[in-house]
Amino acid sequence: MSAQSLFDLAREDGPPADRRDAMWDQIATATGAGAAVSAAAAMKAPAAAASSAGGVATTILATIGTAIVALALSAPDPSTRADVPPRVTTPAAHVSPAGEVPTTRPAPPEHARPEPTGDVHAPAGDVRVRVSTPATPITAFGPTTHAPAARPTATARAAESGEPGDALSHEADLVSRARTALRAGDASTALTLARRARSEGARALEPEEMKLEARALRALGRADEAAAVEVALRLRHPGHALAR
Amino acid sequence: MTASATLPVDIDAGPNADPVTSPPASGVAPRAEIDPKAFRAMYDAHISFVWRNLRRLGVADADVEDRAQEVFVVAHRRFDGYVDLGHGPRAWLFQITLRVAAEARRHRRRHPVDPDGGAAQERQSLEAPQPAELTRKRRLEQLDRALDTLDLGRRAVVVLHEIEQMTAPEIARALDIPVNTVYSRLRVGRAELERALRSAGEPA
């Protein structure tokens, strides 16, 4: 066989068709590029992610996580003044990872109804934490505010607009700005931007956003809330480098 | 002569370094929007190109899938810096591929044993091979062994010209070297390749 025929043979070389799709799935996971494109990948994704054995396991983990976070938050913190109860807030809105259905939460008890300011104070020891399954975001809240249930998710809005990359780009932009603000020492702006990214973006960068949120909270001296966010990060993304 | 000395595309800079077509890294500057459909289309059109060039540039069979993914992850990160100079994204992708391949070869030299003890390779070899597929694999291995004798700079030129059928000006742009250097490397590279094939019992 001549060198030329070897070159001809090499020209035909390439990955098998099934490996192409598998590689794309990996790339899409790593980059978020497939979030809006790969309808096939979405169909391949386990439709019953929240059901059956996986769902049960997740529920158990979530329950354990709930207990840990509740203990962490209800423990008396010497750095906290007795007359100032810990303030636990939640992001303004929640976007489901797949972006299909806005999360609907049960109405909080009467004593926990949100105040118009958004930040709700509760007596120490009365802070409860709810950790949801991966299908719904995990956030620490006692008396808290909820996003309007009818509000469409960012991905849904992007899909409606016909521009699936919008939500992801917007989210990446917000994360970049939050990081810049944090570096510049403006923790308050960083916190606002990180929370906006979580509520408005495609949630492809959720671990980064949660870590930024925790760092911003810590920089603001709100260590309890930072700890709660970090615990939530570990529960939602146990294998992620930022969760270690 | 080291590979990095022969290629203005700084393969020692690592796969995440900016290709020549992209602007300087700007830290946390917000990135331009990436059209996921365009990126998917680029993947579909060029995954074979990336795959076979990784193989021809010396990436081991067991590593090629991971490295191909790495090329596209880097490409995604740098997508907003990509400027089409009129010959499509192949030259740009090849720059990333070249860096990833150089890194993979370095890694393989440092860690010659598979972390799984060759289990993945063994599983692959359990599949019943077809005679035609076996012959094809053997021929490609012969070509890769012969290409292994070439310095990476010449190897890149020979691969781009003989397999990818890129013209000398295209190769010059892809590797950021003068056209005359492309011709001289091609001449020397061909001669070396023929010698290697002949010594392996292959008529060149």
Side-chain angles (χ1 to χ4, degrees), chain A residues 92-104:
Chain A
H94 300 280
V95 184
S96 64
E100 299 88 357
V101 184
T103 306
T104 308

Side-chain angles (χ1 to χ4, degrees), chain B residues 1-58:
Chain B
M1 192 184 292
T2 63
S4 55
T6 60
L7 288 170
V9 176
D10 183 8
I11 56 177
D12 283 339
N16 292 325
D18 275 334
V20 290
T21 49
S22 59
S26 53
V28 292
R31 52 185 307 182
E33 286 183 10
I34 295 175
D35 180 359
K37 284 179 187 163
F39 188 71
R40 176 68 205 247
M42 188 181 78
Y43 171 83
D44 287 337
H46 295 98
I47 178 60
S48 293
F49 171 83
V50 168
W51 174 283
R52 65 174 171 261
N53 279 299
L54 284 169
R55 292 292 288 124
R56 301 294 89 76
L57 292 172

Side-chain angles (χ1 to χ4, degrees), chain A residues 11 19-20 24 37 173 180, chain B residues 36 40 43 48 65 162-163:
Chain A
R11 221 165 281 141
R19 299 314 305 157
R20 282 172 179 240
W24 172 255
V37 182
D173 179 39
T180 309
Chain B
R40 176 68 205 247
Y43 171 83
S48 293
E65 200 167 301
E162 301 289 1
I163 298 174

Side-chain angles (χ1 to χ4, degrees), chain A residues 1-4 6-7 9-16 19-24 26-27 30-31 33 36-38 162 164-166 168-169 172-173 176-177 179-180 183, chain B residues 28-34 36-37 39-40 43-44 47-48 51-52 55-56 65 68-69 72-73 76 135-136 139-140 142-143 158 162-165 193 197 202-204:
Chain A
M1 189 176 262
S2 68
Q4 197 53 53
L6 287 176
F7 293 143
L9 194 62
R11 221 165 281 141
E12 307 297 321
D13 198 16
R19 299 314 305 157
R20 282 172 179 240
D21 289 342
M23 281 192 289
W24 172 255
Q26 295 288 325
I27 293 165
T31 62
V37 182
S38 181
D166 277 0
L168 179 60
S169 305
D173 179 39
S176 293
R177 284 164 54 197
R179 199 172 287 141
T180 309
R183 276 191 196 147
Chain B
V28 292
R31 52 185 307 182
E33 286 183 10
I34 295 175
K37 284 179 187 163
F39 188 71
R40 176 68 205 247
Y43 171 83
D44 287 337
I47 178 60
S48 293
W51 174 283
R52 65 174 171 261
R55 292 292 288 124
R56 301 294 89 76
E65 200 167 301
Q69 288 171 26
F72 280 96
V73 169
H76 183 270
T135 308
R136 192 187 72 86
R139 292 290 178 195
L140 287 175
Q142 283 170 350
L143 175 62
V158 169
E162 301 289 1
I163 298 174
E164 299 305 331
Q165 299 182 306
L193 187 71
L197 286 172
E202 280 293 318

Side-chain angles (χ1 to χ4, degrees), chain A residues 120-210:
Chain A
V120 181
H121 299 270
D126 193 28
V127 177
R128 288 169 299 139
V129 175
R130 173 173 135 166
V131 181
S132 56
T133 61
T136 53
I138 293 174
T139 46
F141 73 98
T144 182
T145 44
H146 297 284
R151 187 177 175 185
T153 62
T155 312
R157 287 198 302 275
E160 280 166 16
S161 72
E163 292 174 324
D166 277 0
L168 179 60
S169 305
H170 180 56
E171 187 180 13
D173 179 39
L174 287 171
V175 169
S176 293
R177 284 164 54 197
R179 199 172 287 141
T180 309
L182 196 59
R183 276 191 196 147
D186 189 355
S188 174
T189 305
L191 179 62
T192 308
L193 289 167
R195 285 181 169 169
R196 260 185 67 194
R198 281 185 75 192
S199 63
E200 295 179 9
R203 299 192 74 143
L205 304 170
E206 191 181 46
E208 286 79 2
E209 290 152 7
M210 294 178 84

Side-chain angles (χ1 to χ4, degrees), chain B residues 5-179:
Chain B
T6 60
L7 288 170
V9 176
D10 183 8
I11 56 177
D12 283 339
N16 292 325
D18 275 334
V20 290
T21 49
S22 59
S26 53
V28 292
R31 52 185 307 182
E33 286 183 10
I34 295 175
D35 180 359
K37 284 179 187 163
F39 188 71
R40 176 68 205 247
M42 188 181 78
Y43 171 83
D44 287 337
H46 295 98
I47 178 60
S48 293
F49 171 83
V50 168
W51 174 283
R52 65 174 171 261
N53 279 299
L54 284 169
R55 292 292 288 124
R56 301 294 89 76
L57 292 172
V59 175
D61 198 24
D63 296 338
V64 69
E65 200 167 301
D66 288 345
R67 297 300 179 172
Q69 288 171 26
E70 190 180 337
V71 168
F72 280 96
V73 169
V74 173
H76 183 270
R77 204 178 303 140
R78 303 290 176 195
F79 200 49
D80 50 348
Y82 163 63
V83 179
D84 190 350
L85 299 175
H87 48 272
R90 288 205 308 171
W92 179 68
L93 279 174
F94 190 81
Q95 290 171 359
I96 301 172
T97 303
L98 192 56
R99 291 192 183 101
V100 169
E103 167 61 24
R105 284 154 55 101
R106 271 197 295 272
H107 187 268
R108 180 56 72 170
R109 274 198 299 272
R110 287 196 298 265
H111 308 280
V113 180
D114 286 332
D116 65 351
Q121 201 72 23
E122 201 172 306
R123 272 197 302 278
Q124 217 173 22
S125 65
L126 287 176
E127 295 165 10
Q130 301 299 312
E133 177 61 15
L134 260 182
T135 308
R136 192 187 72 86
K137 278 189 91 168
R138 201 173 301 137
R139 292 290 178 195
L140 287 175
E141 280 166 12
Q142 283 170 350
L143 175 62
D144 290 340
R145 273 198 300 275
L147 284 169
D148 266 341
T149 62
L150 270 63
D151 147 78
L152 190 57
R154 288 180 196 138
R155 184 174 184 159
V157 171
V158 169
V159 165
L160 285 177
H161 184 74
E162 301 289 1
I163 298 174
E164 299 305 331
Q165 299 182 306
M166 286 170 74
T167 64
E170 279 179 337
I171 297 171
R173 276 196 295 267
L175 300 179
D176 197 23
I177 54 177
V179 178

